[in-house]
Amino acid sequence: MKATPAPAVPPAGRPLNAPWWAAPALFTVAAALGGAWGYRSCPIVQSSAWLALPYVVPLALVAASWRPSAHRDTRTRGLVLGGVGAWIALVYAHLATLVLYTVALVLWAFQGGG
């Protein structure tokens, strides 16, 4: 005796999976806005354009979060990479300014202070 197959669940009754692209899209917007705000709000904006080159690193981290994954551990890794990339984009300009001021202060101190 064959069992009758269960009736298919109509599309409206199926639970919706969360869209995988929502978090990477949020991280992309956050990295772009954070990078722009961080860069415009510190004195590094008047310096040469090569100081903006390290923004490639946070953008690469955010781009890595766009890779869709089926496993929970790789999904978590993508969320962490996107969050870290957005945070680095936000603080990079201020960190670079701090490093440049520290180097200038150390060089000034070692050359005699005058």
XYZ file of all heavy atoms in Angstrom:
844
model
N 0.807 -1.154 0.000
C 0.000 0.000 0.000
C 0.875 1.250 0.000
O 1.745 1.384 0.826
C -0.827 -0.024 1.274
C -2.091 0.674 1.073
S -3.243 -0.002 2.187
C -3.682 1.058 3.273
N 0.596 2.119 -0.920
C 1.379 3.347 -1.024
C 0.715 4.451 -0.222
O -0.496 4.607 -0.250
C 1.500 3.790 -2.467
C 2.407 2.934 -3.290
C 2.610 3.594 -4.621
C 3.697 2.881 -5.372
N 3.986 3.500 -6.631
N 1.569 5.204 0.467
C 1.046 6.347 1.220
C 0.844 7.506 0.265
O 1.643 7.731 -0.652
C 2.021 6.740 2.323
N -0.197 8.203 0.472
C -0.440 9.355 -0.390
C 0.488 10.490 0.030
O 0.720 10.709 1.225
C -1.902 9.827 -0.280
O -2.173 10.157 1.075
C -2.848 8.744 -0.748
N 1.063 11.182 -0.936
C 1.977 12.278 -0.572
C 1.218 13.412 0.103
O 0.043 13.647 -0.159
C 2.563 12.731 -1.910
C 1.594 12.254 -2.935
C 0.922 11.024 -2.376
N 1.923 14.076 0.987
C 1.313 15.209 1.686
C 1.062 16.332 0.688
O 1.853 16.536 -0.246
C 2.245 15.692 2.793
N -0.008 17.035 0.853
C -0.279 18.129 -0.087
C 0.804 19.211 0.051
O 1.310 19.476 1.139
C -1.642 18.660 0.340
C -1.824 18.198 1.747
C -1.034 16.928 1.876
N 1.151 19.779 -1.067
C 2.177 20.824 -1.078
C 1.658 22.062 -0.354
O 0.486 22.416 -0.467
C 2.556 21.183 -2.502
N 2.550 22.676 0.397
C 2.177 23.895 1.118
C 2.134 25.032 0.109
O 3.059 25.215 -0.674
C 3.216 24.195 2.228
C 2.860 25.481 2.954
C 3.298 23.032 3.190
N 1.061 25.786 0.066
C 0.993 26.896 -0.889
C 2.063 27.944 -0.574
O 2.510 28.065 0.561
C -0.410 27.472 -0.691
C -0.843 26.988 0.632
C -0.123 25.699 0.891
N 2.510 28.688 -1.584
C 3.583 29.662 -1.370
C 3.277 30.676 -0.272
O 4.171 31.118 0.432
C 3.713 30.371 -2.717
C 3.143 29.430 -3.708
C 2.097 28.632 -2.986
N 2.030 31.042 -0.084
C 1.706 32.025 0.947
C 1.884 31.434 2.342
O 2.094 32.163 3.298
C 0.282 32.524 0.765
N 1.832 30.114 2.467
C 1.950 29.480 3.776
C 3.371 29.113 4.152
O 3.638 28.713 5.272
N 4.299 29.220 3.219
C 5.688 28.886 3.516
C 6.346 30.010 4.317
O 6.112 31.183 4.043
C 6.478 28.691 2.221
C 6.058 27.493 1.445
C 6.943 27.340 0.233
N 6.331 26.402 -0.684
C 6.435 26.453 -1.988
N 7.133 27.407 -2.553
N 5.864 25.560 -2.743
N 7.181 29.634 5.269
C 7.896 30.697 5.995
C 8.932 31.352 5.080
O 9.587 30.693 4.287
C 8.575 29.965 7.149
C 8.661 28.551 6.701
C 7.495 28.322 5.772
N 9.052 32.653 5.184
C 9.998 33.387 4.355
C 11.388 33.351 4.984
O 11.527 33.548 6.185
C 9.555 34.843 4.195
C 8.253 35.061 3.459
C 7.873 36.531 3.496
C 8.381 34.600 2.019
N 12.365 33.078 4.170
C 13.742 33.175 4.639
C 14.147 34.638 4.623
O 13.729 35.399 3.758
C 14.689 32.371 3.746
C 14.489 30.892 3.925
O 14.027 30.446 4.967
N 14.826 30.127 2.908
N 14.958 35.013 5.579
C 15.454 36.388 5.595
C 16.313 36.609 4.361
O 17.091 35.734 3.972
C 16.273 36.625 6.850
N 16.189 37.736 3.705
C 17.006 37.976 2.516
C 18.481 38.063 2.906
O 18.846 38.814 3.812
C 16.480 39.295 1.967
C 15.727 39.924 3.074
C 15.294 38.834 3.994
N 19.314 37.291 2.249
C 20.731 37.235 2.599
C 21.440 38.535 2.264
O 22.471 38.845 2.836
C 21.413 36.076 1.875
C 21.483 36.267 0.389
C 20.567 35.855 -0.525
C 22.505 36.939 -0.334
N 20.948 36.233 -1.771
C 22.143 36.900 -1.696
C 23.684 37.574 0.016
C 22.917 37.472 -2.686
C 24.459 38.146 -0.973
C 24.075 38.086 -2.311
N 20.899 39.315 1.374
C 21.582 40.515 0.901
C 21.305 41.732 1.768
O 21.906 42.784 1.574
C 21.179 40.814 -0.540
C 19.697 40.828 -0.725
C 18.913 39.797 -1.135
C 18.818 41.917 -0.471
N 17.600 40.175 -1.158
C 17.512 41.477 -0.754
C 18.995 43.221 -0.033
C 16.401 42.289 -0.606
C 17.873 44.037 0.116
C 16.603 43.559 -0.174
N 20.411 41.628 2.743
C 20.062 42.802 3.556
C 21.232 43.278 4.407
O 21.530 44.476 4.451
C 18.864 42.483 4.435
N 21.911 42.358 5.076
C 23.044 42.748 5.928
C 24.214 43.292 5.109
O 24.765 44.349 5.451
C 23.483 41.580 6.794
N 24.641 42.630 4.015
C 25.723 43.221 3.226
C 25.366 44.583 2.639
O 26.223 45.470 2.558
C 25.969 42.200 2.114
C 25.477 40.918 2.654
C 24.340 41.275 3.552
N 24.118 44.777 2.261
C 23.708 46.087 1.739
C 23.799 47.147 2.834
O 24.265 48.264 2.591
C 22.290 46.014 1.184
N 23.388 46.792 4.037
C 23.491 47.715 5.166
C 24.953 48.041 5.472
O 25.303 49.197 5.706
C 22.812 47.119 6.393
C 22.865 47.959 7.665
C 22.038 49.229 7.479
C 22.354 47.158 8.828
N 25.826 47.030 5.442
C 27.245 47.263 5.691
C 27.874 48.118 4.591
O 28.747 48.936 4.868
C 28.011 45.947 5.810
C 27.683 45.183 7.060
C 27.514 43.816 7.023
C 27.550 45.825 8.272
C 27.222 43.104 8.169
C 27.249 45.126 9.430
C 27.084 43.760 9.374
N 27.437 47.949 3.357
C 27.969 48.747 2.258
C 27.605 50.217 2.443
O 28.448 51.106 2.304
C 27.433 48.226 0.914
O 27.813 46.853 0.768
C 27.982 49.026 -0.243
N 26.347 50.470 2.772
C 25.918 51.851 3.005
C 26.628 52.435 4.222
O 27.090 53.578 4.201
C 24.385 51.914 3.165
C 23.932 53.267 3.641
C 23.709 51.550 1.854
N 26.756 51.636 5.293
C 27.419 52.116 6.509
C 28.893 52.408 6.252
O 29.426 53.406 6.751
C 27.276 51.084 7.629
N 29.565 51.568 5.467
C 30.980 51.811 5.166
C 31.151 53.055 4.302
O 32.065 53.854 4.529
C 31.588 50.597 4.459
N 30.270 53.238 3.334
C 30.379 54.427 2.476
C 30.107 55.707 3.261
O 30.874 56.673 3.179
C 29.413 54.310 1.302
N 29.047 55.717 4.047
C 28.726 56.903 4.838
C 29.751 57.133 5.948
O 30.158 58.264 6.207
C 27.326 56.784 5.428
C 26.176 56.851 4.438
C 24.847 56.637 5.147
C 26.193 58.161 3.694
N 30.167 56.059 6.610
C 31.171 56.184 7.666
C 32.505 56.652 7.130
O 33.176 57.485 7.741
N 32.904 56.130 5.983
C 34.158 56.575 5.378
C 34.101 58.023 4.947
O 35.045 58.784 5.159
N 32.983 58.416 4.359
C 32.847 59.810 3.929
C 32.816 60.754 5.127
O 33.485 61.790 5.130
C 31.578 59.981 3.098
N 32.061 60.401 6.166
C 32.001 61.248 7.351
C 33.352 61.305 8.063
O 33.814 62.370 8.457
C 30.939 60.744 8.321
C 30.907 61.567 9.562
C 30.327 62.782 9.717
C 31.511 61.258 10.812
N 30.527 63.239 10.994
C 31.253 62.322 11.688
C 32.247 60.161 11.278
C 31.698 62.328 13.000
C 32.690 60.174 12.583
C 32.412 61.254 13.424
N 34.012 60.154 8.212
C 35.306 60.122 8.877
C 36.356 60.908 8.120
O 37.171 61.622 8.712
N 36.342 60.813 6.807
C 37.333 61.513 5.988
C 37.086 63.014 5.980
O 38.013 63.802 6.022
C 37.302 60.951 4.567
C 38.459 61.381 3.715
C 39.725 60.869 3.941
C 38.289 62.282 2.681
C 40.799 61.249 3.162
C 39.351 62.672 1.893
C 40.605 62.147 2.135
O 41.664 62.531 1.366
N 35.810 63.420 5.936
C 35.486 64.854 5.882
C 35.599 65.539 7.240
O 35.717 66.753 7.309
C 34.070 65.060 5.347
C 33.860 64.600 3.929
C 34.528 65.433 2.920
N 33.959 66.770 2.951
C 34.489 67.811 2.368
N 35.609 67.673 1.732
N 33.930 68.989 2.436
N 35.573 64.773 8.324
C 35.563 65.388 9.652
C 36.935 65.462 10.303
O 37.025 65.798 11.474
C 34.612 64.622 10.575
O 35.116 63.329 10.825
N 37.990 65.172 9.582
C 39.318 65.279 10.170
C 40.220 66.073 9.233
O 39.915 66.248 8.059
C 39.886 63.901 10.469
S 40.390 62.986 9.041
N 41.351 66.579 9.735
C 42.209 67.440 8.923
C 42.946 66.723 7.802
O 43.619 67.366 7.000
C 43.194 68.021 9.939
C 43.119 67.159 11.118
C 41.790 66.490 11.110
N 42.803 65.424 7.698
C 43.498 64.673 6.658
C 42.932 64.987 5.269
O 43.565 64.728 4.258
C 43.420 63.160 6.965
C 44.512 62.394 6.258
C 42.091 62.582 6.592
C 44.593 60.955 6.664
N 41.744 65.588 5.215
C 41.091 65.869 3.947
C 41.872 66.886 3.115
O 41.781 66.893 1.892
C 39.628 66.299 4.176
C 39.540 67.699 4.691
C 38.813 66.148 2.918
N 42.661 67.735 3.761
C 43.459 68.710 3.014
C 44.777 68.131 2.530
O 45.526 68.800 1.834
C 43.749 69.943 3.885
C 42.557 70.838 4.084
C 41.732 70.435 5.287
O 42.172 69.686 6.126
N 40.513 70.940 5.343
N 45.088 66.911 2.886
C 46.362 66.322 2.491
C 46.247 65.634 1.131
O 45.213 65.694 0.481
C 46.824 65.333 3.553
O 45.890 64.294 3.648
N 47.299 64.964 0.732
C 47.310 64.349 -0.600
C 46.354 63.154 -0.676
O 45.984 62.559 0.328
C 48.732 63.912 -0.951
O 49.188 62.955 -0.023
N 45.992 62.820 -1.884
C 44.971 61.792 -2.107
C 45.462 60.384 -1.791
O 44.641 59.495 -1.567
C 44.494 61.848 -3.552
N 46.759 60.143 -1.731
C 47.241 58.788 -1.462
C 46.876 58.329 -0.059
O 46.866 57.133 0.213
C 48.745 58.680 -1.697
C 49.580 59.489 -0.749
C 50.004 60.767 -0.917
C 50.062 59.082 0.527
N 50.719 61.188 0.162
C 50.784 60.172 1.070
C 49.974 57.910 1.265
C 51.385 60.109 2.314
C 50.588 57.857 2.507
C 51.284 58.947 3.017
N 46.550 59.246 0.845
C 46.139 58.841 2.189
C 44.747 58.216 2.193
O 44.355 57.580 3.171
C 46.185 60.038 3.140
C 47.586 60.463 3.551
C 47.534 61.747 4.345
C 48.274 59.376 4.345
N 44.004 58.361 1.126
C 42.692 57.712 1.017
C 42.813 56.292 0.478
O 41.833 55.542 0.491
C 41.771 58.523 0.131
N 43.982 55.885 0.033
C 44.176 54.555 -0.538
C 43.855 53.414 0.436
O 43.271 52.412 0.019
C 45.610 54.420 -1.071
C 45.935 53.145 -1.813
C 45.072 53.042 -3.057
C 47.397 53.102 -2.175
N 44.187 53.518 1.721
C 43.841 52.410 2.620
C 42.352 52.159 2.803
O 41.979 51.194 3.462
C 44.492 52.816 3.949
C 45.633 53.655 3.549
C 45.143 54.428 2.358
N 41.488 52.980 2.240
C 40.052 52.674 2.287
C 39.725 51.436 1.462
O 38.611 50.918 1.537
C 39.218 53.857 1.796
C 38.974 54.885 2.861
C 39.607 56.108 2.831
C 38.104 54.614 3.896
C 39.385 57.050 3.805
C 37.870 55.546 4.888
C 38.517 56.763 4.837
O 38.295 57.684 5.819
N 40.689 50.941 0.710
C 40.490 49.705 -0.052
C 40.285 48.529 0.901
O 39.507 47.628 0.620
C 41.684 49.475 -1.003
C 41.633 48.118 -1.647
C 41.725 50.569 -2.050
N 40.969 48.541 2.041
C 40.866 47.426 2.989
C 39.447 47.292 3.554
O 38.866 46.201 3.484
C 41.913 47.575 4.118
C 41.707 46.534 5.200
C 43.311 47.490 3.542
N 38.840 48.356 4.104
C 37.468 48.156 4.585
C 36.484 47.838 3.465
O 35.538 47.072 3.671
C 37.104 49.473 5.269
C 38.174 50.421 4.981
C 39.343 49.668 4.473
N 36.702 48.386 2.284
C 35.811 48.060 1.172
C 35.954 46.597 0.766
O 34.971 45.957 0.388
C 36.080 48.986 -0.003
C 35.695 50.440 0.235
C 36.042 51.295 -0.978
C 34.227 50.566 0.573
N 37.165 46.048 0.851
C 37.354 44.624 0.556
C 36.671 43.757 1.609
O 36.094 42.715 1.282
C 38.839 44.303 0.480
N 36.723 44.177 2.865
C 36.036 43.419 3.911
C 34.530 43.441 3.706
O 33.852 42.416 3.877
C 36.394 43.986 5.283
C 37.821 43.762 5.752
C 38.088 44.529 7.025
C 38.091 42.291 5.946
N 33.998 44.585 3.342
C 32.558 44.674 3.081
C 32.196 43.862 1.835
O 31.171 43.184 1.799
C 32.124 46.144 2.946
C 30.703 46.252 2.442
C 32.266 46.852 4.281
N 33.049 43.889 0.823
C 32.782 43.102 -0.390
C 32.777 41.613 -0.080
O 32.009 40.854 -0.678
C 33.820 43.423 -1.459
N 33.597 41.168 0.866
C 33.613 39.750 1.242
C 32.308 39.337 1.909
O 31.930 38.163 1.866
C 34.789 39.473 2.170
N 31.602 40.273 2.510
C 30.333 39.926 3.147
C 29.222 39.700 2.122
O 28.171 39.173 2.471
C 29.919 41.014 4.138
O 29.515 42.178 3.474
N 29.421 40.083 0.877
C 28.411 39.891 -0.168
C 28.352 38.462 -0.674
O 27.422 38.101 -1.388
C 28.664 40.822 -1.343
C 28.080 42.166 -1.118
C 28.728 43.272 -0.673
C 26.724 42.554 -1.321
N 27.857 44.319 -0.576
C 26.621 43.909 -0.971
C 25.593 41.887 -1.746
C 25.419 44.601 -1.046
C 24.399 42.583 -1.828
C 24.326 43.925 -1.481
N 29.313 37.645 -0.336
C 29.318 36.270 -0.818
C 28.218 35.482 -0.105
O 28.266 35.323 1.114
C 30.680 35.635 -0.535
C 30.807 34.288 -1.111
C 32.225 33.785 -1.008
N 32.204 32.359 -1.176
C 32.746 31.499 -0.347
N 33.407 31.942 0.689
N 32.658 30.226 -0.567
N 27.221 34.998 -0.832
C 26.138 34.265 -0.172
C 26.641 32.929 0.358
O 27.526 32.302 -0.228
C 25.097 34.069 -1.276
C 25.849 34.168 -2.535
C 27.020 35.079 -2.274
N 26.105 32.504 1.474
C 26.551 31.255 2.079
C 25.355 30.454 2.557
O 24.301 31.002 2.873
C 27.496 31.546 3.236
O 26.818 32.303 4.206
N 25.561 29.171 2.622
C 24.491 28.287 3.059
C 24.709 27.818 4.498
O 23.777 27.355 5.142
C 24.406 27.078 2.145
N 25.928 27.931 4.987
C 26.235 27.444 6.330
C 26.211 28.588 7.330
O 26.540 29.724 7.017
C 27.610 26.775 6.356
C 27.698 25.616 5.407
N 26.953 24.482 5.551
C 28.439 25.447 4.298
C 27.238 23.644 4.572
N 28.132 24.209 3.788
N 25.858 28.268 8.561
C 25.738 29.275 9.603
C 27.098 29.904 9.923
O 27.188 31.112 10.133
C 25.151 28.667 10.860
C 25.019 29.670 11.989
C 24.365 29.086 13.208
N 22.959 28.814 13.086
C 22.002 29.730 13.020
N 22.316 30.989 13.015
N 20.754 29.398 12.933
N 28.178 29.125 9.943
C 29.480 29.690 10.304
C 29.991 30.649 9.236
O 30.563 31.686 9.570
C 30.504 28.592 10.580
C 30.712 27.672 9.391
O 29.792 27.577 8.552
O 31.796 27.062 9.298
N 29.780 30.367 7.975
C 30.224 31.298 6.937
C 29.311 32.519 6.875
O 29.762 33.598 6.516
C 30.283 30.613 5.561
O 29.016 30.038 5.271
C 31.353 29.553 5.531
N 28.050 32.353 7.238
C 27.145 33.498 7.307
C 27.582 34.440 8.427
O 27.621 35.656 8.253
C 25.720 33.003 7.556
C 24.668 33.968 7.135
C 23.273 33.374 7.242
N 23.191 32.052 6.632
C 22.460 31.052 7.096
N 21.745 31.205 8.175
N 22.433 29.890 6.485
N 27.957 33.876 9.551
C 28.443 34.689 10.676
C 29.751 35.370 10.315
O 29.957 36.540 10.642
C 28.637 33.799 11.920
O 27.408 33.146 12.211
C 29.078 34.615 13.106
N 30.615 34.668 9.624
C 31.888 35.254 9.200
C 31.648 36.439 8.264
O 32.316 37.470 8.369
C 32.745 34.203 8.494
C 34.142 34.667 8.209
C 35.000 33.591 7.567
N 34.870 32.324 8.258
C 34.691 31.152 7.643
N 34.621 31.090 6.333
N 34.588 30.042 8.346
N 30.690 36.337 7.369
C 30.367 37.445 6.481
C 29.831 38.646 7.237
O 30.164 39.788 6.932
N 29.009 38.397 8.254
C 28.494 39.495 9.070
C 29.613 40.181 9.850
O 29.649 41.400 9.962
C 27.420 38.983 10.031
C 26.116 38.524 9.395
C 25.194 37.918 10.447
C 25.441 39.670 8.696
N 30.535 39.393 10.376
C 31.660 39.966 11.123
C 32.560 40.772 10.191
O 32.968 41.894 10.519
C 32.449 38.856 11.846
C 33.765 39.375 12.386
C 31.615 38.261 12.968
N 32.856 40.231 9.017
C 33.699 40.963 8.061
C 33.053 42.274 7.631
O 33.714 43.308 7.547
C 33.984 40.097 6.832
C 34.973 38.960 7.009
C 35.040 38.128 5.739
C 36.334 39.479 7.378
N 31.770 42.250 7.364
C 31.070 43.471 6.973
C 31.046 44.503 8.090
O 31.260 45.692 7.863
N 30.803 44.061 9.317
C 30.792 44.978 10.457
C 32.157 45.581 10.731
O 32.283 46.787 10.982
N 33.199 44.756 10.657
C 34.555 45.257 10.869
C 34.946 46.218 9.751
O 35.565 47.259 10.001
C 35.552 44.078 10.975
C 36.982 44.546 10.907
C 35.321 43.321 12.269
N 34.582 45.911 8.520
C 34.880 46.803 7.399
C 34.202 48.153 7.545
O 34.814 49.195 7.302
N 32.944 48.157 7.968
C 32.235 49.425 8.166
C 32.857 50.218 9.311
O 33.002 51.440 9.228
C 30.755 49.159 8.448
N 33.260 49.546 10.384
C 33.877 50.224 11.519
C 35.238 50.806 11.139
O 35.546 51.945 11.492
C 34.014 49.257 12.693
C 34.556 49.908 13.910
C 33.871 50.710 14.777
C 35.900 49.845 14.385
N 34.722 51.129 15.765
C 35.965 50.619 15.552
C 37.040 49.202 13.934
C 37.139 50.767 16.274
C 38.210 49.348 14.658
C 38.249 50.122 15.803
N 36.043 50.046 10.393
C 37.354 50.542 9.966
C 37.183 51.748 9.046
O 37.946 52.714 9.137
C 38.165 49.425 9.284
C 38.602 48.392 10.320
C 39.391 49.981 8.585
C 39.276 47.180 9.716
N 36.204 51.699 8.162
C 35.967 52.852 7.279
C 35.607 54.092 8.081
O 35.977 55.207 7.714
C 34.857 52.521 6.284
N 34.906 53.899 9.189
C 34.509 55.026 10.020
C 35.691 55.642 10.766
O 35.826 56.857 10.836
C 33.439 54.584 11.016
C 32.948 55.622 12.008
C 32.215 56.729 11.268
C 32.049 54.979 13.038
N 36.582 54.820 11.293
C 37.647 55.342 12.162
C 38.989 55.511 11.465
O 39.918 56.051 12.064
C 37.835 54.449 13.410
C 36.569 54.393 14.217
C 38.329 53.075 13.057
N 39.125 55.069 10.210
C 40.438 55.101 9.568
C 41.029 56.502 9.495
O 42.201 56.714 9.818
C 40.397 54.497 8.162
C 41.605 54.907 7.362
C 42.847 54.387 7.680
C 41.528 55.845 6.352
C 43.980 54.793 6.998
C 42.647 56.246 5.670
C 43.865 55.719 5.991
O 44.981 56.132 5.323
N 40.279 57.472 9.067
C 40.819 58.818 8.875
C 41.294 59.411 10.197
O 42.347 60.049 10.257
C 39.777 59.723 8.222
N 40.541 59.184 11.259
C 40.953 59.703 12.561
C 42.180 58.949 13.088
O 43.061 59.546 13.700
C 39.802 59.622 13.554
C 38.662 60.502 13.171
N 38.697 61.868 13.346
C 37.475 60.223 12.586
C 37.573 62.385 12.903
N 36.814 61.420 12.434
N 42.237 57.657 12.832
C 43.408 56.877 13.232
C 44.642 57.307 12.449
O 45.727 57.453 13.015
C 43.127 55.388 13.027
C 44.181 54.423 13.533
C 44.307 54.541 15.045
C 43.812 53.012 13.144
N 44.497 57.548 11.152
C 45.621 58.017 10.339
C 46.085 59.390 10.799
O 47.292 59.665 10.863
C 45.224 58.058 8.866
N 45.152 60.263 11.155
C 45.511 61.582 11.670
C 46.280 61.455 12.984
O 47.295 62.123 13.181
C 44.251 62.436 11.883
O 43.564 62.530 10.640
C 44.586 63.819 12.380
N 45.824 60.581 13.871
C 46.511 60.364 15.138
C 47.927 59.848 14.912
O 48.878 60.320 15.545
C 45.710 59.391 16.002
C 46.359 58.996 17.321
C 46.332 60.175 18.284
C 45.660 57.791 17.913
N 48.082 58.899 14.003
C 49.412 58.351 13.713
C 50.321 59.431 13.117
O 51.489 59.556 13.515
C 49.298 57.127 12.782
C 50.656 56.719 12.230
C 48.651 55.968 13.511
N 49.813 60.213 12.182
C 50.644 61.261 11.578
C 51.039 62.329 12.597
O 52.192 62.783 12.604
C 49.903 61.895 10.400
C 49.762 61.009 9.176
C 48.877 61.686 8.136
C 51.106 60.675 8.587
N 50.115 62.730 13.473
C 50.455 63.696 14.514
C 51.465 63.112 15.501
O 52.365 63.812 15.963
C 49.208 64.158 15.261
C 48.396 65.174 14.524
C 47.043 65.318 14.780
C 48.950 66.014 13.562
C 46.274 66.260 14.111
C 48.203 66.955 12.887
C 46.870 67.063 13.171
O 46.110 67.996 12.504
N 51.321 61.836 15.840
C 52.266 61.193 16.756
C 53.657 61.124 16.142
O 54.656 61.421 16.812
C 51.770 59.783 17.129
O 50.464 59.889 17.685
C 52.700 59.113 18.118
N 53.744 60.759 14.874
C 55.043 60.715 14.192
C 55.653 62.112 14.132
O 56.847 62.285 14.385
C 54.886 60.111 12.777
C 56.132 60.328 11.932
C 54.572 58.627 12.879
N 54.846 63.115 13.832
C 55.359 64.483 13.784
C 55.849 64.942 15.150
O 56.918 65.581 15.261
C 54.268 65.422 13.270
N 55.141 64.605 16.211
C 55.539 64.982 17.553
C 56.838 64.278 17.967
O 57.734 64.908 18.550
C 54.420 64.656 18.543
C 54.666 65.096 19.996
C 54.708 66.617 20.074
C 53.575 64.548 20.885
N 56.948 62.994 17.659
C 58.179 62.257 17.980
C 59.360 62.820 17.181
O 60.454 63.017 17.752
C 57.975 60.755 17.719
C 59.291 60.004 17.749
C 57.005 60.175 18.731
N 59.179 63.101 15.919
C 60.269 63.675 15.130
C 60.654 65.045 15.652
O 61.838 65.403 15.719
C 59.865 63.756 13.655
C 59.760 62.439 12.920
C 59.239 62.670 11.503
C 61.096 61.728 12.881
N 59.680 65.855 16.052
C 59.954 67.173 16.607
C 60.732 67.051 17.923
O 61.674 67.798 18.174
C 58.644 67.909 16.848
C 58.802 69.217 17.532
C 59.211 70.389 17.007
C 58.565 69.469 18.928
N 59.235 71.373 17.964
C 58.840 70.826 19.166
C 58.124 68.675 19.986
C 58.709 71.400 20.408
C 57.983 69.253 21.223
C 58.276 70.611 21.436
N 60.348 66.061 18.764
C 61.011 65.873 20.051
C 62.454 65.416 19.866
O 63.356 65.831 20.603
C 60.237 64.876 20.908
N 62.700 64.554 18.898
C 64.066 64.042 18.692
C 64.966 65.026 17.968
O 66.176 64.938 18.089
C 64.040 62.711 17.939
C 63.728 61.546 18.818
C 62.653 60.709 18.535
C 64.483 61.280 19.940
C 62.368 59.643 19.335
C 64.181 60.199 20.766
C 63.122 59.373 20.465
N 64.421 65.966 17.260
C 65.281 66.913 16.547
C 65.666 68.091 17.427
O 66.424 68.928 17.014
C 64.629 67.360 15.229
C 63.407 68.188 15.393
C 63.669 69.667 15.270
O 64.714 70.072 14.789
N 62.743 70.468 15.721
N 65.149 68.167 18.619
C 65.586 69.188 19.547
C 64.478 70.104 20.002
O 64.703 70.986 20.820
N 63.304 69.955 19.494
C 62.183 70.751 19.943
C 62.208 72.188 19.478
O 61.501 73.033 19.988
N 62.969 72.523 18.511
C 62.996 73.915 18.108
C 63.411 74.009 16.713
O 63.268 74.657 15.857
